[in-house]
Amino acid sequence: MDGLIFILLLLIFSGLLYFFYRSYEKDGISVFLVIAVVLSFVLSLKIGKITSFDIILYSPVYMAIFIAFYVLLEKGNSKDIKKCLYLIGFVCLVMIFMFIFSYLYLPIISNGIAINIKKLFVNNWVNILAFPILLVINVLASIYLYKYTKKYYDHIFVNSCFASIVVQLIDSLVLGFLSLYNILDVTNIFRISLMTYSFKLMANILYIPVFYYVLKYRRPKQ
């Protein structure tokens, strides 16, 4: 079932990226990023199983965020990138505030949703607080590496894969240990982190076709 969810998320976010860019261009990327950040934030708290591999389920949505920034690197400017960085930071802060408010607020017994959110924060507060910091750092690092490789070899597959290979390894290990250090032993945490990393790279490669078509799209002149 989780394997099907992985594939569906890839297809859905490929379609959303193309739709929002084709409909609204750079403004559409901003809307797309809000959706991707919120969902990846939520999925970063869930472990799933694809065939015999345990992974953190945020991989396909999380990688869509980086593909969106690569589109901005190709089609936008530094002002567009800064605006989107501020946007994802703001979205993450709102999510954190929601979890903290749910934790501090003492819900009545019948308020099941608030109780579950409170438990979610108590059990995952390190991951919840670390996610936005890691996201912003990783986006900045990916932008730098993408630009660096582009200076020497301008090809979207090489540029995006090189940035993902370097940045996502560190991201997967750090987030894996922060999320699971009090639940699993080091061996299992390392195994899940590496499996998550592998599926991130797979998602990055599978996003390349939509990345290519987005870059090739030209809005018809009115």
Side-chain angles (χ1 to χ4, degrees), residues 23-51:
S23 301
Y24 308 106
E25 295 188 329
K26 288 177 286 187
D27 290 334
I29 295 294
S30 299
V31 178
F32 175 83
L33 282 171
V34 171
I35 299 171
V37 168
V38 171
L39 187 55
S40 63
F41 201 149
V42 174
L43 291 175
S44 70
L45 305 173
K46 180 172 175 57
I47 302 294
K49 184 180 286 292
I50 299 179
T51 62

Side-chain angles (χ1 to χ4, degrees), residues 86-209:
Y86 291 140
L87 178 63
I88 64 173
F90 175 75
V91 172
C92 287
L93 286 175
V94 170
M95 295 285 289
I96 291 172
F97 177 79
M98 182 194 74
F99 282 115
I100 293 175
F101 179 79
S102 298
Y103 172 71
L104 296 176
Y105 167 64
L106 184 62
I108 59 175
I109 302 266
S110 61
N111 195 341
I113 295 176
I115 293 173
N116 289 330
I117 293 177
K118 185 171 183 175
K119 290 180 179 178
L120 186 66
F121 180 82
V122 171
N123 295 329
N124 300 278
W125 68 270
V126 174
N127 181 56
I128 289 170
L129 297 178
F131 180 90
I133 299 172
L134 287 172
L135 176 59
V136 173
I137 291 174
N138 291 328
V139 168
L140 290 172
S142 296
I143 289 171
Y144 172 79
L145 290 174
Y146 190 94
K147 288 181 177 179
Y148 179 80
T149 55
K150 186 179 174 66
K151 289 191 297 185
Y152 298 98
Y153 190 76
D154 188 5
H155 193 283
I156 60 173
F157 180 81
V158 174
N159 304 153
S160 64
C161 286
F162 176 73
S164 295
I165 287 169
V166 177
V167 173
Q168 297 305 325
L169 176 60
I170 300 171
D171 176 74
S172 300
L173 291 172
V174 173
L175 188 67
F177 276 89
L178 289 177
S179 304
L180 305 170
Y181 76 96
N182 60 342
I183 301 174
L184 301 174
D185 58 79
V186 174
T187 302
N188 282 319
I189 293 174
F190 190 69
R191 177 175 56 83
I192 291 174
S193 298
L194 287 183
M195 287 300 101
T196 301
Y197 173 62
S198 301
F199 278 89
K200 281 183 179 179
L201 296 185
M202 183 191 303
N204 186 92
I205 293 172
L206 294 175
Y207 276 126
I208 294 298

